[in-house]
Amino acid sequence: MNLTVAEENYIKAIYKLQDGAVVNTNAIAYELDTKPASVTDMAKKLKEKKLIDYEKYQGISLTAEGRKMALQIVRRHRLWECFLVDKLSFSWDEVHELAEELEHVRSEKLISRLSEYLGNPTTDPHGDPIPDAQGKISKTRQLVPLDKATAKRLEVAGVSDQSSALLEFLHAKGIRLGTQIDVIERYEFDNSVEIKIRNQPAFTISEQVSKSIMVKSI
Amino acid sequence: MNLTVAEENYIKAIYKLQDGAVVNTNAIAYELDTKPASVTDMAKKLKEKKLIDYEKYQGISLTAEGRKMALQIVRRHRLWECFLVDKLSFSWDEVHELAEELEHVRSEKLISRLSEYLGNPTTDPHGDPIPDAQGKISKTRQLVPLDKATAKRLEVAGVSDQSSALLEFLHAKGIRLGTQIDVIERYEFDNSVEIKIRNQPAFTISEQVSKSIMVKSI
DNA sequence: ATTTTTATTTAGATTTGTCTAAATTATATT
DNA sequence: AATATAATTTAGACAAATCTAAATAAAAAT
Ligand SMILES: [Mn+2]
Ligand SMILES: [Mn+2]
Ligand SMILES: [Mn+2]
Ligand SMILES: [Mn+2]
């Protein structure tokens, strides 16, 4: 199965967003900074190639084959991130964009040699696990409360406080399971956090709230 | 100036083929394994971007800006070749295709770090000079008789024997200055060489002839 | 100086990936 | 249940890069 760069980026995005449930069109469009109509177009192609399951209006999920592809791309991405940090002295926050391009050079031999050269690392500079050559990947890292998270883009994966007051607040703000959050700023004086959710203006939440939102980096 | 991968490949091909004189459409098409009509299409675009000088039927040559671009791409290509051979233990004959892809990851910082990491090499695994960050490149390597050449694809750059018998033979075979030759096989028992010229079936030349054809790798 | 061959360009089409605007379907609210 | 809102898809368009077949120009051979 030979994929284009665009197809690889879609497959990887779907893998990243997929979490048990199906992935919806808008989430993929947001992740890839494209338009929902383009996602629908691509969904038809990827379905044709049997890399995703897709029925219109029903969301998208990877097939076994699609997942295999995704893991290969993720492996390449994370190994290149290791290379850039370990060998070329980049810092962990400047490697993602470069890896986003390097990941598309497809060569089993190149990647196995690179992995070996790096000492077959099992996690990338951001702590994310690196799939092995067979596509086996260790469980994704645990959840962290928002006030402890270091990454800029996060996904809400749970709440540590089940009080209806909190849940009401989150609901009103449009925060629910699976919601993607961009951290705009952290204010030291009161540990409040300015965040942004897709299609909404940024807003600030208190330390108390940020401690209650469990997130994972995506 | 932001180029697409296709544009970069054309610019590099033109640089490679340019040797004082202008480059013709068919040579570029052959080099890039595409069709002359496609070269004409691209020539119009690259002229629009002021990277080449081009008047129809008059051939193509790089502008100063185009040459600058070409040297950057060549630098990236050759540095990646060094990396693959020096660090990942590839042999010199398996790196070209990989470098052909890696060269399109554009990042000044990546390339300067890579160069530094490799000890700022000045020649690649094939003996070709690596342009520095400013695009300065040492003179291209000397000519070698065909029987001593190691590369698979060569360009005829002269003859060491001016006898009319030889020149007639070369003329009859379609071998002239600038002709590109692919070496198909070298026969040890009599040191004859089977070669192929674009648009012609392969044929074999004797050791005597191969000693007289001066070539450079391209 | 013609004729033949080779090189190059044009015309028109195709594929891929994208977009906007409008239409449709699903979900949430009243 | 009806209405409003959000998500998704369709229709139609576009740019990039390529191709084939036909037309034209340049170069070589006679
Ligand atoms: Mn990518
Ligand atoms: Mn990472
Ligand atoms: Mn290339
Ligand atoms: Mn080389």
Side-chain angles (χ1 to χ4, degrees):
Chain A
M1 181 64 64
N2 236 22
L3 303 184
T4 65
V5 168
E7 288 169 338
E8 285 196 340
N9 285 331
Y10 274 96
I11 289 292
K12 187 155 68 80
I14 295 164
Y15 173 79
K16 190 187 284 190
L17 298 173
Q18 188 168 36
D19 202 16
V22 297
V23 183
N24 39 305
T25 305
N26 279 7
I28 298 169
Y30 183 70
E31 169 71 24
L32 293 177
D33 195 24
T34 184
K35 296 292 180 291
S38 304
V39 176
T40 301
D41 289 342
M42 182 60 86
K44 292 172 183 167
K45 282 179 224 165
L46 294 176
K47 182 188 177 168
E48 190 60 37
K49 292 194 171 192
K50 299 192 194 301
L51 297 171
I52 62 171
D53 291 316
Y54 166 66
E55 295 302 330
K56 57 159 119 164
Y57 295 107
Q58 300 312 122
I60 290 170
S61 61
L62 293 175
T63 62
E65 177 73 4
R67 190 182 134 85
K68 209 180 102 194
M69 291 285 125
L71 285 165
Q72 279 176 24
I73 304 163
V74 167
R75 173 169 160 80
R76 297 194 296 250
H77 183 103
R78 293 182 180 166
L79 283 171
W80 280 117
E81 286 188 342
C82 288
F83 169 71
L84 294 170
V85 168
D86 295 355
K87 303 296 186 183
L88 299 194
S89 313
F90 280 85
S91 65
W92 66 271
D93 58 312
E94 15 175 42
V95 297
H96 180 78
E97 290 310 314
L98 286 171
E100 200 56 48
E101 302 198 39
L102 289 163
E103 70 186 359
H104 301 292
V105 177
R106 260 151 301 181
S107 162
E108 294 267 352
K109 191 164 185 176
L110 170 61
I111 293 305
S112 69
R113 292 275 176 105
L114 180 64
S115 177
E116 193 181 359
Y117 182 58
L118 297 169
N120 296 308
T122 56
T123 60
D124 82 357
H126 309 103
D128 292 312
I130 299 174
D132 69 17
Q134 285 68 50
K136 222 181 130 201
I137 187 172
S138 72
K139 207 178 14 271
T140 187
R141 54 223 271 247
Q142 317 85 311
L143 308 187
V144 178
L146 176 50
D147 68 317
K148 295 281 192 301
T150 52
K152 298 268 184 307
R153 173 166 291 184
L154 305 163
E155 183 185 310
V156 176
V159 285
S160 61
D161 177 347
Q162 303 278 346
S163 75
S164 57
L166 174 67
L167 295 177
E168 245 177 83
F169 172 79
L170 296 180
H171 183 256
K173 290 296 193 182
I175 297 172
R176 64 199 69 185
L177 236 59
T179 299
Q180 283 179 30
I181 291 177
D182 286 317
V183 175
I184 308 295
E185 189 113 42
R186 292 174 181 277
Y187 297 100
E188 279 190 317
F189 65 93
D190 67 349
N191 292 313
S192 64
V193 187
E194 189 180 7
I195 64 178
K196 183 168 180 351
I197 298 174
R198 134 168 71 126
N199 296 333
Q200 284 185 220
F203 59 94
T204 301
I205 59 176
S206 67
E207 179 180 21
Q208 199 190 337
V209 172
S210 78
K211 279 181 182 302
S212 307
I213 303 175
M214 302 302 290
V215 297
K216 59 184 182 186
S217 56
I218 49 179
Chain B
M1 181 64 63
N2 236 23
L3 303 184
T4 65
V5 168
E7 287 170 337
E8 285 196 341
N9 284 330
Y10 274 96
I11 288 293
K12 188 155 67 80
I14 295 163
Y15 173 80
K16 191 187 282 191
L17 298 172
Q18 189 169 36
D19 200 17
V22 296
V23 183
N24 38 303
T25 304
N26 278 7
I28 298 169
Y30 183 70
E31 170 71 24
L32 293 178
D33 194 23
T34 184
K35 296 292 181 293
S38 304
V39 176
T40 301
D41 290 341
M42 183 60 88
K44 292 173 184 168
K45 283 179 225 164
L46 295 176
K47 183 189 176 166
E48 190 61 37
K49 291 194 171 193
K50 299 192 194 301
L51 296 171
I52 63 171
D53 291 316
Y54 167 65
E55 295 301 331
K56 58 159 119 160
Y57 295 107
Q58 299 313 120
I60 290 171
S61 61
L62 293 174
T63 61
E65 178 72 5
R67 191 182 136 83
K68 210 179 100 194
M69 291 287 125
L71 286 165
Q72 280 177 25
I73 304 163
V74 167
R75 173 170 160 80
R76 297 194 296 251
H77 183 104
R78 292 180 182 168
L79 283 171
W80 280 117
E81 286 189 341
C82 287
F83 169 71
L84 294 170
V85 169
D86 295 355
K87 303 296 186 183
L88 299 195
S89 313
F90 279 85
S91 66
W92 67 272
D93 58 311
E94 6 174 51
V95 296
H96 180 79
E97 291 309 315
L98 285 171
E100 199 58 48
E101 303 198 39
L102 290 163
E103 70 186 359
H104 301 293
V105 177
R106 261 152 299 182
S107 162
E108 294 267 351
K109 190 165 186 176
L110 171 60
I111 293 304
S112 70
R113 292 274 175 105
L114 180 63
S115 176
E116 194 181 358
Y117 181 58
L118 298 169
N120 295 307
T122 57
T123 60
D124 82 358
H126 310 104
D128 292 311
I130 299 174
D132 68 18
Q134 285 69 50
K136 224 183 129 199
I137 186 172
S138 71
K139 204 173 25 268
T140 186
R141 58 223 270 247
Q142 316 84 310
L143 309 187
V144 178
L146 175 51
D147 67 317
K148 295 282 193 302
T150 53
K152 298 268 183 306
R153 172 165 292 184
L154 305 163
E155 183 184 310
V156 176
V159 285
S160 60
D161 176 347
Q162 303 280 343
S163 74
S164 55
L166 174 68
L167 295 177
E168 245 178 84
F169 171 80
L170 296 180
H171 183 257
K173 291 295 192 182
I175 297 173
R176 64 199 70 185
L177 236 60
T179 298
Q180 284 180 27
I181 291 176
D182 286 318
V183 176
I184 307 295
E185 190 110 43
R186 292 173 181 279
Y187 297 100
E188 278 190 318
F189 65 92
D190 67 350
N191 293 313
S192 63
V193 186
E194 188 179 6
I195 64 177
K196 183 169 178 352
I197 298 173
R198 137 169 67 130
N199 295 333
Q200 284 186 220
F203 59 94
T204 300
I205 59 176
S206 69
E207 179 178 23
Q208 198 190 339
V209 172
S210 78
K211 280 181 182 301
S212 307
I213 302 176
M214 302 302 292
V215 297
K216 58 185 181 187
S217 56
I218 49 180

